[in-house]
Amino acid sequence: MAHLLITGGAGFIGSHTALVLLQGGHSLVVLDNFSNSSPEALRRVAELAGLDHDSARLQVIAGDIRSPADLDRALGAAAPGGERVAGVIHFAGLKAVGESVQQPLRYWDVNVNGSRLLVEAMQRHGCRTLVFSSTSTVYGEPQRFPISETCATDPRHPYAQTKLAVEWMLQALETSETGWCIGRLRYFNPVGAHPSGRIGENPLGVPNNLFPFITQVASGQRPLLRIFGDDWPTPDGTGIRDYLHVMDLAEAHGLALDWLMQHQRSLPVLNLGTGRGLSVLEVVQAFETATGRTIPRELVGRRHGDVARLEGCPRLAASTLGWRASRNLEQMCRDGWTWQNANPRGYGG
Ligand code: NAD
Ligand code: WQD
């Protein structure tokens, strides 16, 4: 069992990963500035993990990855048994594509500068094991599917550019200095929630993404789903994505950390997806079947910047980590709906 730092651990993927790691026996420090999350998520993670109130196995630090002092505080926070932080999972960052086009400098500051300051702080503290959240959007608009890790990258907006820049920075770091054990994980489309409905995705304002939009339509918070185009070069004309259950993604992080600690070297860049793409219409139909709710919808034009299809090859993650997404679309829909239904206003409710 290890003592780990999770940056951005109150967020959507971070909170589910924190739960998986606590249930696996690890102790955690979470550093989050709560700019896109709530401390309530971590209270519920502790409750689901069966921790006592004030348990030292989950230490929460409200702070910013761009603050060396906050990073020193987080990396210096020892485990209940006195162990030092042995590894970091770095989720903290900004992730909205459209916003990144409007505010590129902010994205470079938080995502790139924040990551640089984090690894510098890790150097100060002698911690060189790191898992980094990258994204399938670094591939741009590939023509061959499923997308393997050797596919050329073509990041088309500041969000993807900042993620690829950090991948490169980490690669240069491990070349320049021995001892680094780094995992760069390119996620496809994580959706759903913990089956308890206690933690889930908590988008602030109008959701950008398909899944939270559907669940908010199902709960009556939004009148209808707008489908962005039915003239894509796909079988039913709507966009195809590789959706994976957030609990599968969370489990992949536990396996990646175990691998790094056991092998004491870096992982190859890994795609984390299912290998099976689904269209917007397939997702809507599956959601209606799984939940019995009707999703009113209208067809509108394509969304600027969208691509027809993204579908990741999961083979390298399977052969390296022994990881495969095991939860199906029905579970993604059911668990996402359980969360939305029980928490119509997210953690603010
Ligand atoms: P999220 O916004 O729910 O979580 C990110 C967390 O980081 C939030 O809790 C936020 O408050 C925190 N944070 C932001 N800026 C910070 C800062 N400067 N200092 C400290 N904390 C800060 O997002 P998520 O969906 O959980 O994504 C986690 C990571 O995975 C992100 O880096 C994202 O780019 C990446 N990713 C997400 C997706 C996706 O579809 N959700 C896909 C691919 C990659
Ligand atoms: C999926 C499909 C839309 C909303 C986002 C981020 C990306 C990455 C993953 C972080 C597309 C269609 C959507 C709606 C719709 N995250 N759609 N109506 O486009 O893969 O990308 O998530 O790294 O950076 O941008 O996912 O959920 O937004 O869209 O018809 O109201 O649903 O056109 O075909 P996407 P998404």
Side-chain angles (χ1 to χ4, degrees), residues 13 94-98 133-138 157 159-160 163 187-191 206-214 224-229 232 238-243 278-281 283-284 298-303 305-310:
I13 307 169
L94 304 177
K95 62 167 183 175
V97 171
S133 300
S134 189
T135 167
S136 57
T137 57
V138 297
H157 41 72
Y159 169 65
K163 287 290 178 177
Y187 318 150
F188 282 72
N189 292 57
V191 299
V206 182
N208 290 314
N209 299 120
L210 180 64
F211 243 84
F213 208 102
I214 290 177
L224 51 79
L225 171 72
R226 292 180 308 145
I227 296 180
F228 298 140
W232 293 99
T238 64
I240 290 183
R241 295 293 183 274
D242 185 344
Y243 300 95
L278 297 159
S279 74
V280 175
L281 287 179
V283 170
V284 172
E298 73 171 341
L299 186 65
V300 298
R302 291 183 181 187
R303 179 172 65 177
D306 260 353
V307 297
R309 184 172 171 195
L310 279 177

Short mmCIF file of all heavy atoms in Angstrom, two decimals, residues 13 94-98 133-138 157 159-160 163 187-191 206-214 224-229 232 238-243 278-281 283-284 298-303 305-310, ligand 2:
data_model
loop_
_atom_site.label_atom_id
_atom_site.label_comp_id
_atom_site.label_asym_id
_atom_site.label_seq_id
_atom_site.Cartn_x
_atom_site.Cartn_y
_atom_site.Cartn_z
N ILE A 13 -13.27 12.51 -12.60
CA ILE A 13 -12.46 11.27 -12.67
C ILE A 13 -11.67 11.10 -11.37
O ILE A 13 -11.53 9.99 -10.84
CB ILE A 13 -11.52 11.30 -13.89
CG1 ILE A 13 -12.32 11.60 -15.18
CG2 ILE A 13 -10.79 9.97 -14.04
CD1 ILE A 13 -11.45 11.90 -16.40
N LEU A 94 -7.67 22.26 -16.67
CA LEU A 94 -8.87 22.79 -17.32
C LEU A 94 -9.14 21.93 -18.55
O LEU A 94 -8.20 21.52 -19.24
CB LEU A 94 -8.65 24.25 -17.71
CG LEU A 94 -8.25 25.18 -16.56
CD1 LEU A 94 -7.99 26.59 -17.08
CD2 LEU A 94 -9.32 25.20 -15.47
N LYS A 95 -10.43 21.71 -18.88
CA LYS A 95 -10.72 20.68 -19.90
C LYS A 95 -11.77 21.06 -20.93
O LYS A 95 -12.22 20.20 -21.68
CB LYS A 95 -11.16 19.40 -19.19
CG LYS A 95 -12.43 19.55 -18.39
CD LYS A 95 -13.03 18.22 -17.96
CE LYS A 95 -14.33 18.42 -17.22
NZ LYS A 95 -15.02 17.20 -16.88
N ALA A 96 -12.20 22.32 -20.96
CA ALA A 96 -13.27 22.68 -21.91
C ALA A 96 -12.67 23.21 -23.21
O ALA A 96 -11.99 24.24 -23.22
CB ALA A 96 -14.20 23.71 -21.28
N VAL A 97 -12.94 22.50 -24.30
CA VAL A 97 -12.31 22.83 -25.58
C VAL A 97 -12.64 24.27 -26.01
O VAL A 97 -11.75 25.05 -26.34
CB VAL A 97 -12.76 21.83 -26.66
CG1 VAL A 97 -12.31 22.27 -28.03
CG2 VAL A 97 -12.23 20.44 -26.33
N GLY A 98 -13.93 24.61 -26.00
CA GLY A 98 -14.35 25.95 -26.46
C GLY A 98 -13.71 27.05 -25.62
O GLY A 98 -13.21 28.06 -26.14
N SER A 133 -2.98 12.72 -16.80
CA SER A 133 -4.22 12.64 -17.57
C SER A 133 -4.05 13.34 -18.90
O SER A 133 -4.05 14.56 -18.96
CB SER A 133 -5.34 13.41 -16.85
OG SER A 133 -5.60 12.91 -15.60
N SER A 134 -3.95 12.56 -19.97
CA SER A 134 -3.97 13.18 -21.29
C SER A 134 -5.30 12.82 -21.98
O SER A 134 -6.20 12.28 -21.34
CB SER A 134 -2.75 12.74 -22.10
OG SER A 134 -2.68 13.51 -23.30
N THR A 135 -5.40 13.13 -23.24
CA THR A 135 -6.71 13.06 -23.88
C THR A 135 -6.64 12.53 -25.30
O THR A 135 -5.66 12.78 -26.02
CB THR A 135 -7.37 14.46 -23.89
OG1 THR A 135 -8.50 14.45 -24.76
CG2 THR A 135 -6.41 15.54 -24.39
N SER A 136 -7.70 11.89 -25.72
CA SER A 136 -7.79 11.39 -27.10
C SER A 136 -7.85 12.53 -28.11
O SER A 136 -7.63 12.30 -29.30
CB SER A 136 -9.05 10.52 -27.24
OG SER A 136 -10.18 11.28 -26.89
N THR A 137 -8.17 13.74 -27.66
CA THR A 137 -8.26 14.85 -28.62
C THR A 137 -6.87 15.22 -29.18
O THR A 137 -6.80 15.97 -30.15
CB THR A 137 -8.92 16.11 -28.02
OG1 THR A 137 -8.18 16.50 -26.88
CG2 THR A 137 -10.35 15.86 -27.63
N VAL A 138 -5.78 14.67 -28.62
CA VAL A 138 -4.46 14.94 -29.21
C VAL A 138 -4.37 14.32 -30.62
O VAL A 138 -3.50 14.70 -31.40
CB VAL A 138 -3.27 14.41 -28.35
CG1 VAL A 138 -3.23 15.11 -27.01
CG2 VAL A 138 -3.31 12.90 -28.19
N HIS A 157 -6.72 22.36 -30.96
CA HIS A 157 -7.18 23.49 -30.14
C HIS A 157 -6.26 23.58 -28.92
O HIS A 157 -5.53 22.61 -28.61
CB HIS A 157 -8.65 23.32 -29.73
CG HIS A 157 -9.00 21.91 -29.34
ND1 HIS A 157 -8.56 21.34 -28.17
CD2 HIS A 157 -9.73 20.96 -29.98
CE1 HIS A 157 -9.03 20.09 -28.11
NE2 HIS A 157 -9.72 19.84 -29.19
N TYR A 159 -6.66 23.32 -25.81
CA TYR A 159 -6.77 22.28 -24.78
C TYR A 159 -5.89 21.07 -25.14
O TYR A 159 -5.04 20.64 -24.35
CB TYR A 159 -8.24 21.84 -24.61
CG TYR A 159 -8.37 20.59 -23.78
CD1 TYR A 159 -8.00 20.59 -22.43
CD2 TYR A 159 -8.82 19.39 -24.33
CE1 TYR A 159 -8.08 19.43 -21.67
CE2 TYR A 159 -8.91 18.24 -23.57
CZ TYR A 159 -8.54 18.26 -22.24
OH TYR A 159 -8.61 17.10 -21.49
N ALA A 160 -6.07 20.55 -26.37
CA ALA A 160 -5.29 19.38 -26.77
C ALA A 160 -3.81 19.73 -26.87
O ALA A 160 -2.94 18.91 -26.53
CB ALA A 160 -5.81 18.86 -28.12
N LYS A 163 -2.19 19.59 -23.50
CA LYS A 163 -2.03 18.21 -22.99
C LYS A 163 -0.85 17.53 -23.68
O LYS A 163 -0.05 16.84 -23.04
CB LYS A 163 -3.33 17.42 -23.23
CG LYS A 163 -4.45 17.83 -22.30
CD LYS A 163 -4.16 17.39 -20.88
CE LYS A 163 -5.21 17.81 -19.89
NZ LYS A 163 -4.96 17.33 -18.53
N TYR A 187 -7.29 9.44 -22.34
CA TYR A 187 -8.66 8.95 -22.14
C TYR A 187 -9.52 9.28 -23.35
O TYR A 187 -9.42 10.37 -23.91
CB TYR A 187 -9.35 9.62 -20.96
CG TYR A 187 -8.56 9.82 -19.70
CD1 TYR A 187 -8.86 10.90 -18.87
CD2 TYR A 187 -7.56 8.94 -19.30
CE1 TYR A 187 -8.17 11.11 -17.71
CE2 TYR A 187 -6.86 9.16 -18.12
CZ TYR A 187 -7.17 10.25 -17.33
OH TYR A 187 -6.49 10.47 -16.16
N PHE A 188 -10.45 8.39 -23.65
CA PHE A 188 -11.48 8.70 -24.63
C PHE A 188 -12.64 9.38 -23.89
O PHE A 188 -12.40 10.40 -23.25
CB PHE A 188 -11.81 7.44 -25.47
CG PHE A 188 -10.72 7.26 -26.51
CD1 PHE A 188 -9.43 6.84 -26.14
CD2 PHE A 188 -10.92 7.62 -27.82
CE1 PHE A 188 -8.39 6.77 -27.07
CE2 PHE A 188 -9.89 7.55 -28.76
CZ PHE A 188 -8.64 7.13 -28.39
N ASN A 189 -13.86 8.89 -23.89
CA ASN A 189 -14.96 9.68 -23.30
C ASN A 189 -15.51 9.03 -22.03
O ASN A 189 -16.42 8.20 -22.10
CB ASN A 189 -16.07 9.86 -24.33
CG ASN A 189 -15.65 10.76 -25.48
OD1 ASN A 189 -14.66 10.49 -26.15
ND2 ASN A 189 -16.38 11.83 -25.70
N PRO A 190 -14.98 9.43 -20.86
CA PRO A 190 -15.49 8.84 -19.62
C PRO A 190 -16.89 9.36 -19.29
O PRO A 190 -17.16 10.57 -19.38
CB PRO A 190 -14.49 9.31 -18.56
CG PRO A 190 -13.80 10.49 -19.15
CD PRO A 190 -13.87 10.37 -20.64
N VAL A 191 -17.78 8.46 -18.92
CA VAL A 191 -19.17 8.82 -18.57
C VAL A 191 -19.64 7.94 -17.43
O VAL A 191 -18.91 7.07 -16.95
CB VAL A 191 -20.11 8.64 -19.80
CG1 VAL A 191 -19.70 9.53 -20.96
CG2 VAL A 191 -20.16 7.18 -20.24
N VAL A 206 -24.25 25.03 -18.17
CA VAL A 206 -24.79 24.16 -19.23
C VAL A 206 -23.71 23.14 -19.63
O VAL A 206 -22.60 23.53 -19.99
CB VAL A 206 -25.18 24.99 -20.47
CG1 VAL A 206 -25.78 24.09 -21.54
CG2 VAL A 206 -26.14 26.10 -20.09
N PRO A 207 -24.03 21.84 -19.56
CA PRO A 207 -22.99 20.86 -19.90
C PRO A 207 -22.60 20.96 -21.37
O PRO A 207 -23.44 21.17 -22.24
CB PRO A 207 -23.67 19.51 -19.63
CG PRO A 207 -24.91 19.80 -18.87
CD PRO A 207 -25.30 21.21 -19.15
N ASN A 208 -21.30 20.79 -21.65
CA ASN A 208 -20.81 20.74 -23.03
C ASN A 208 -20.97 19.35 -23.61
O ASN A 208 -21.05 19.18 -24.81
CB ASN A 208 -19.29 21.02 -23.06
CG ASN A 208 -18.98 22.45 -22.73
OD1 ASN A 208 -19.62 23.35 -23.25
ND2 ASN A 208 -18.00 22.67 -21.85
N ASN A 209 -20.93 18.36 -22.74
CA ASN A 209 -20.78 16.98 -23.21
C ASN A 209 -22.12 16.26 -23.30
O ASN A 209 -23.09 16.58 -22.59
CB ASN A 209 -19.83 16.22 -22.29
CG ASN A 209 -18.44 16.84 -22.29
OD1 ASN A 209 -17.96 17.26 -21.24
ND2 ASN A 209 -17.83 16.96 -23.45
N LEU A 210 -22.14 15.27 -24.15
CA LEU A 210 -23.39 14.57 -24.47
C LEU A 210 -24.05 13.93 -23.24
O LEU A 210 -25.25 14.13 -22.99
CB LEU A 210 -23.10 13.50 -25.52
CG LEU A 210 -24.31 12.68 -25.96
CD1 LEU A 210 -25.34 13.55 -26.66
CD2 LEU A 210 -23.88 11.53 -26.87
N PHE A 211 -23.28 13.16 -22.48
CA PHE A 211 -23.89 12.37 -21.41
C PHE A 211 -24.57 13.22 -20.34
O PHE A 211 -25.74 13.00 -20.02
CB PHE A 211 -22.86 11.42 -20.80
CG PHE A 211 -23.22 9.99 -21.00
CD1 PHE A 211 -22.91 9.35 -22.18
CD2 PHE A 211 -23.91 9.29 -20.02
CE1 PHE A 211 -23.26 8.03 -22.38
CE2 PHE A 211 -24.26 7.97 -20.20
CZ PHE A 211 -23.94 7.33 -21.38
N PRO A 212 -23.83 14.20 -19.74
CA PRO A 212 -24.53 15.00 -18.73
C PRO A 212 -25.69 15.80 -19.31
O PRO A 212 -26.69 16.04 -18.61
CB PRO A 212 -23.43 15.92 -18.19
CG PRO A 212 -22.29 15.81 -19.13
CD PRO A 212 -22.41 14.49 -19.83
N PHE A 213 -25.61 16.13 -20.59
CA PHE A 213 -26.74 16.84 -21.19
C PHE A 213 -27.96 15.91 -21.24
O PHE A 213 -29.07 16.29 -20.87
CB PHE A 213 -26.39 17.34 -22.61
CG PHE A 213 -27.16 18.57 -22.97
CD1 PHE A 213 -26.57 19.82 -22.92
CD2 PHE A 213 -28.51 18.49 -23.31
CE1 PHE A 213 -27.31 20.98 -23.21
CE2 PHE A 213 -29.24 19.63 -23.59
CZ PHE A 213 -28.64 20.87 -23.55
N ILE A 214 -27.74 14.67 -21.65
CA ILE A 214 -28.86 13.71 -21.72
C ILE A 214 -29.48 13.51 -20.33
O ILE A 214 -30.70 13.53 -20.18
CB ILE A 214 -28.38 12.35 -22.29
CG1 ILE A 214 -28.05 12.48 -23.77
CG2 ILE A 214 -29.42 11.27 -22.05
CD1 ILE A 214 -27.49 11.20 -24.40
N LEU A 224 -34.73 19.81 -24.10
CA LEU A 224 -34.42 18.81 -25.14
C LEU A 224 -32.94 18.78 -25.46
O LEU A 224 -32.20 19.72 -25.17
CB LEU A 224 -35.24 19.06 -26.40
CG LEU A 224 -35.28 20.44 -27.04
CD1 LEU A 224 -34.05 20.73 -27.86
CD2 LEU A 224 -36.51 20.53 -27.95
N LEU A 225 -32.58 17.66 -26.06
CA LEU A 225 -31.19 17.47 -26.49
C LEU A 225 -31.08 17.96 -27.93
O LEU A 225 -31.90 17.60 -28.78
CB LEU A 225 -30.83 15.98 -26.43
CG LEU A 225 -29.49 15.61 -27.08
CD1 LEU A 225 -28.32 16.09 -26.21
CD2 LEU A 225 -29.39 14.10 -27.29
N ARG A 226 -30.07 18.76 -28.19
CA ARG A 226 -29.79 19.14 -29.57
C ARG A 226 -28.73 18.19 -30.10
O ARG A 226 -27.65 18.06 -29.51
CB ARG A 226 -29.32 20.60 -29.65
CG ARG A 226 -30.46 21.57 -29.29
CD ARG A 226 -30.03 23.02 -29.36
NE ARG A 226 -28.82 23.23 -28.58
CZ ARG A 226 -27.84 24.08 -28.90
NH1 ARG A 226 -27.93 24.83 -29.98
NH2 ARG A 226 -26.78 24.22 -28.13
N ILE A 227 -29.05 17.53 -31.20
CA ILE A 227 -28.08 16.60 -31.82
C ILE A 227 -27.31 17.36 -32.88
O ILE A 227 -27.91 17.90 -33.82
CB ILE A 227 -28.80 15.37 -32.40
CG1 ILE A 227 -29.46 14.60 -31.25
CG2 ILE A 227 -27.82 14.49 -33.17
CD1 ILE A 227 -30.22 13.36 -31.67
N PHE A 228 -25.99 17.40 -32.69
CA PHE A 228 -25.15 18.24 -33.55
C PHE A 228 -24.81 17.53 -34.87
O PHE A 228 -23.70 17.03 -35.04
CB PHE A 228 -23.88 18.64 -32.81
CG PHE A 228 -24.12 19.46 -31.57
CD1 PHE A 228 -23.37 19.25 -30.42
CD2 PHE A 228 -25.09 20.46 -31.54
CE1 PHE A 228 -23.57 20.00 -29.27
CE2 PHE A 228 -25.31 21.23 -30.40
CZ PHE A 228 -24.55 20.99 -29.26
N GLY A 229 -25.76 17.50 -35.77
CA GLY A 229 -25.48 17.01 -37.13
C GLY A 229 -25.84 15.56 -37.34
O GLY A 229 -25.56 14.71 -36.48
N TRP A 232 -22.73 13.41 -40.74
CA TRP A 232 -21.35 12.96 -40.59
C TRP A 232 -21.15 11.67 -41.39
O TRP A 232 -22.12 10.91 -41.58
CB TRP A 232 -21.04 12.69 -39.11
CG TRP A 232 -21.05 13.93 -38.26
CD1 TRP A 232 -22.09 14.36 -37.46
CD2 TRP A 232 -20.02 14.89 -38.12
NE1 TRP A 232 -21.75 15.53 -36.83
CE2 TRP A 232 -20.47 15.88 -37.22
CE3 TRP A 232 -18.75 15.02 -38.67
CZ2 TRP A 232 -19.70 16.98 -36.85
CZ3 TRP A 232 -17.97 16.11 -38.30
CH2 TRP A 232 -18.45 17.08 -37.41
N THR A 238 -24.69 10.47 -37.25
CA THR A 238 -24.34 11.23 -36.03
C THR A 238 -22.93 10.84 -35.57
O THR A 238 -22.42 9.78 -35.94
CB THR A 238 -25.38 11.03 -34.91
OG1 THR A 238 -25.38 9.66 -34.49
CG2 THR A 238 -26.78 11.42 -35.38
N GLY A 239 -22.34 11.71 -34.75
CA GLY A 239 -20.94 11.54 -34.35
C GLY A 239 -20.72 10.28 -33.52
O GLY A 239 -21.58 9.89 -32.72
N ILE A 240 -19.57 9.67 -33.72
CA ILE A 240 -19.23 8.44 -32.99
C ILE A 240 -18.10 8.74 -32.00
O ILE A 240 -17.11 9.39 -32.34
CB ILE A 240 -18.79 7.34 -33.98
CG1 ILE A 240 -20.02 6.88 -34.77
CG2 ILE A 240 -18.10 6.18 -33.27
CD1 ILE A 240 -19.73 5.74 -35.75
N ARG A 241 -18.29 8.24 -30.76
CA ARG A 241 -17.25 8.38 -29.73
C ARG A 241 -17.10 7.05 -28.99
O ARG A 241 -18.00 6.23 -28.98
CB ARG A 241 -17.63 9.46 -28.69
CG ARG A 241 -17.72 10.86 -29.24
CD ARG A 241 -16.37 11.40 -29.67
NE ARG A 241 -16.46 12.78 -30.13
CZ ARG A 241 -16.77 13.16 -31.37
NH1 ARG A 241 -17.01 12.25 -32.31
NH2 ARG A 241 -16.82 14.44 -31.69
N ASP A 242 -15.97 6.96 -28.29
CA ASP A 242 -15.65 5.76 -27.53
C ASP A 242 -15.92 6.06 -26.05
O ASP A 242 -15.05 6.58 -25.34
CB ASP A 242 -14.18 5.42 -27.79
CG ASP A 242 -13.75 4.12 -27.15
OD1 ASP A 242 -14.46 3.62 -26.27
OD2 ASP A 242 -12.67 3.62 -27.54
N TYR A 243 -17.14 5.77 -25.60
CA TYR A 243 -17.52 6.07 -24.22
C TYR A 243 -17.06 4.94 -23.30
O TYR A 243 -17.24 3.77 -23.64
CB TYR A 243 -19.05 6.23 -24.11
CG TYR A 243 -19.57 7.34 -24.99
CD1 TYR A 243 -20.04 7.09 -26.28
CD2 TYR A 243 -19.53 8.67 -24.56
CE1 TYR A 243 -20.49 8.11 -27.10
CE2 TYR A 243 -19.97 9.70 -25.39
CZ TYR A 243 -20.45 9.42 -26.65
OH TYR A 243 -20.88 10.43 -27.47
N LEU A 278 -19.68 4.50 -30.43
CA LEU A 278 -21.14 4.54 -30.43
C LEU A 278 -21.58 5.90 -30.96
O LEU A 278 -21.00 6.93 -30.61
CB LEU A 278 -21.67 4.36 -29.01
CG LEU A 278 -21.34 3.00 -28.38
CD1 LEU A 278 -21.43 3.08 -26.87
CD2 LEU A 278 -22.29 1.93 -28.92
N SER A 279 -22.65 5.89 -31.74
CA SER A 279 -23.15 7.16 -32.28
C SER A 279 -24.03 7.86 -31.25
O SER A 279 -24.49 7.25 -30.28
CB SER A 279 -23.95 6.90 -33.56
OG SER A 279 -25.20 6.33 -33.22
N VAL A 280 -24.29 9.13 -31.51
CA VAL A 280 -25.17 9.89 -30.61
C VAL A 280 -26.54 9.20 -30.53
O VAL A 280 -27.09 9.01 -29.42
CB VAL A 280 -25.34 11.35 -31.12
CG1 VAL A 280 -26.34 12.10 -30.26
CG2 VAL A 280 -24.00 12.07 -31.13
N LEU A 281 -27.06 8.77 -31.66
CA LEU A 281 -28.39 8.13 -31.64
C LEU A 281 -28.37 6.82 -30.87
O LEU A 281 -29.31 6.51 -30.13
CB LEU A 281 -28.89 7.88 -33.07
CG LEU A 281 -29.34 9.14 -33.82
CD1 LEU A 281 -29.78 8.79 -35.23
CD2 LEU A 281 -30.46 9.87 -33.07
N VAL A 283 -26.46 6.14 -28.35
CA VAL A 283 -26.40 6.46 -26.92
C VAL A 283 -27.78 6.89 -26.41
O VAL A 283 -28.24 6.43 -25.36
CB VAL A 283 -25.35 7.58 -26.65
CG1 VAL A 283 -25.44 8.08 -25.22
CG2 VAL A 283 -23.94 7.07 -26.95
N VAL A 284 -28.45 7.72 -27.18
CA VAL A 284 -29.77 8.20 -26.74
C VAL A 284 -30.73 7.01 -26.61
O VAL A 284 -31.46 6.88 -25.61
CB VAL A 284 -30.31 9.26 -27.73
CG1 VAL A 284 -31.76 9.61 -27.40
CG2 VAL A 284 -29.44 10.51 -27.71
N GLU A 298 -33.87 17.44 -30.88
CA GLU A 298 -34.02 18.06 -32.19
C GLU A 298 -32.66 18.03 -32.87
O GLU A 298 -31.62 18.05 -32.21
CB GLU A 298 -34.53 19.51 -32.08
CG GLU A 298 -33.52 20.49 -31.56
CD GLU A 298 -34.00 21.94 -31.66
OE1 GLU A 298 -34.92 22.22 -32.44
OE2 GLU A 298 -33.43 22.79 -30.95
N LEU A 299 -32.75 17.99 -34.17
CA LEU A 299 -31.53 17.94 -34.96
C LEU A 299 -31.11 19.36 -35.30
O LEU A 299 -31.94 20.15 -35.77
CB LEU A 299 -31.83 17.15 -36.23
CG LEU A 299 -30.63 16.87 -37.09
CD1 LEU A 299 -29.65 15.96 -36.37
CD2 LEU A 299 -31.10 16.22 -38.39
N VAL A 300 -29.86 19.68 -35.02
CA VAL A 300 -29.34 21.01 -35.40
C VAL A 300 -28.05 20.80 -36.21
O VAL A 300 -27.65 19.65 -36.44
CB VAL A 300 -29.07 21.89 -34.14
CG1 VAL A 300 -30.35 22.15 -33.37
CG2 VAL A 300 -28.02 21.26 -33.25
N GLY A 301 -27.41 21.88 -36.59
CA GLY A 301 -26.20 21.77 -37.41
C GLY A 301 -25.03 21.24 -36.59
O GLY A 301 -25.09 21.13 -35.36
N ARG A 302 -23.96 20.94 -37.31
CA ARG A 302 -22.74 20.45 -36.66
C ARG A 302 -22.19 21.48 -35.66
O ARG A 302 -22.32 22.68 -35.91
CB ARG A 302 -21.67 20.18 -37.70
CG ARG A 302 -21.96 19.01 -38.61
CD ARG A 302 -20.78 18.82 -39.55
NE ARG A 302 -21.01 17.71 -40.46
CZ ARG A 302 -20.09 17.23 -41.30
NH1 ARG A 302 -18.88 17.77 -41.32
NH2 ARG A 302 -20.35 16.22 -42.10
N ARG A 303 -21.57 21.00 -34.62
CA ARG A 303 -20.89 21.88 -33.65
C ARG A 303 -19.50 22.18 -34.18
O ARG A 303 -18.78 21.26 -34.61
CB ARG A 303 -20.82 21.15 -32.30
CG ARG A 303 -20.13 21.91 -31.20
CD ARG A 303 -20.27 21.23 -29.86
NE ARG A 303 -19.61 19.93 -29.78
CZ ARG A 303 -19.54 19.16 -28.69
NH1 ARG A 303 -20.13 19.57 -27.57
NH2 ARG A 303 -18.93 18.01 -28.70
N GLY A 305 -15.77 22.56 -34.68
CA GLY A 305 -14.62 21.87 -34.08
C GLY A 305 -14.83 20.38 -33.86
O GLY A 305 -13.89 19.67 -33.49
N ASP A 306 -16.08 19.88 -34.04
CA ASP A 306 -16.32 18.45 -33.82
C ASP A 306 -15.65 17.60 -34.90
O ASP A 306 -15.39 18.07 -36.00
CB ASP A 306 -17.84 18.15 -33.87
CG ASP A 306 -18.44 18.02 -32.48
OD1 ASP A 306 -17.67 18.02 -31.50
OD2 ASP A 306 -19.67 17.92 -32.38
N VAL A 307 -15.41 16.34 -34.58
CA VAL A 307 -14.93 15.39 -35.58
C VAL A 307 -15.97 14.27 -35.68
O VAL A 307 -16.80 14.09 -34.78
CB VAL A 307 -13.54 14.81 -35.21
CG1 VAL A 307 -12.50 15.90 -35.17
CG2 VAL A 307 -13.57 14.05 -33.88
N ALA A 308 -15.91 13.52 -36.80
CA ALA A 308 -16.92 12.48 -37.03
C ALA A 308 -16.79 11.34 -36.03
O ALA A 308 -17.77 10.87 -35.46
CB ALA A 308 -16.77 11.94 -38.45
N ARG A 309 -15.54 10.94 -35.81
CA ARG A 309 -15.37 9.66 -35.12
C ARG A 309 -14.09 9.64 -34.29
O ARG A 309 -13.05 10.12 -34.75
CB ARG A 309 -15.30 8.59 -36.22
CG ARG A 309 -15.23 7.19 -35.74
CD ARG A 309 -15.37 6.25 -36.93
NE ARG A 309 -15.09 4.89 -36.53
CZ ARG A 309 -14.86 3.89 -37.38
NH1 ARG A 309 -14.88 4.11 -38.67
NH2 ARG A 309 -14.60 2.69 -36.92
N LEU A 310 -14.18 9.11 -33.10
CA LEU A 310 -13.01 8.85 -32.26
C LEU A 310 -13.25 7.51 -31.58
O LEU A 310 -14.27 7.32 -30.92
CB LEU A 310 -12.82 9.94 -31.19
CG LEU A 310 -12.16 11.26 -31.61
CD1 LEU A 310 -12.14 12.22 -30.43
CD2 LEU A 310 -10.73 11.04 -32.12
C1 WQD B 2 -19.95 13.55 -28.06
C2 WQD B 2 -20.82 13.52 -29.30
C3 WQD B 2 -21.18 15.69 -30.27
C4 WQD B 2 -23.45 17.34 -26.92
C5 WQD B 2 -15.27 16.10 -25.27
C6 WQD B 2 -14.14 17.08 -25.04
C7 WQD B 2 -12.83 16.40 -25.23
C8 WQD B 2 -12.68 15.18 -24.33
C9 WQD B 2 -13.86 14.29 -24.42
C10 WQD B 2 -11.35 15.83 -22.44
C11 WQD B 2 -20.31 14.44 -30.42
C12 WQD B 2 -22.48 15.12 -29.77
C13 WQD B 2 -22.73 16.51 -27.76
C14 WQD B 2 -24.78 17.72 -27.29
C15 WQD B 2 -24.56 16.36 -29.28
N1 WQD B 2 -12.50 15.61 -22.97
N2 WQD B 2 -23.27 16.03 -28.91
N3 WQD B 2 -25.28 17.20 -28.47
O1 WQD B 2 -16.84 15.85 -28.54
O2 WQD B 2 -15.68 13.75 -27.82
O3 WQD B 2 -15.28 15.80 -26.62
O4 WQD B 2 -15.08 15.00 -24.38
O5 WQD B 2 -10.26 15.56 -22.86
O6 WQD B 2 -11.82 17.30 -25.00
O7 WQD B 2 -14.33 18.14 -25.93
O8 WQD B 2 -17.54 14.65 -26.43
O9 WQD B 2 -19.64 14.52 -25.15
O10 WQD B 2 -18.97 16.74 -26.15
O11 WQD B 2 -19.73 14.91 -27.65
O12 WQD B 2 -25.06 15.94 -30.33
O13 WQD B 2 -25.46 18.48 -26.61
O14 WQD B 2 -22.11 14.03 -28.95
O15 WQD B 2 -21.36 16.38 -31.48
O16 WQD B 2 -20.59 13.80 -31.64
P1 WQD B 2 -16.34 15.03 -27.43
P2 WQD B 2 -19.00 15.27 -26.25
#
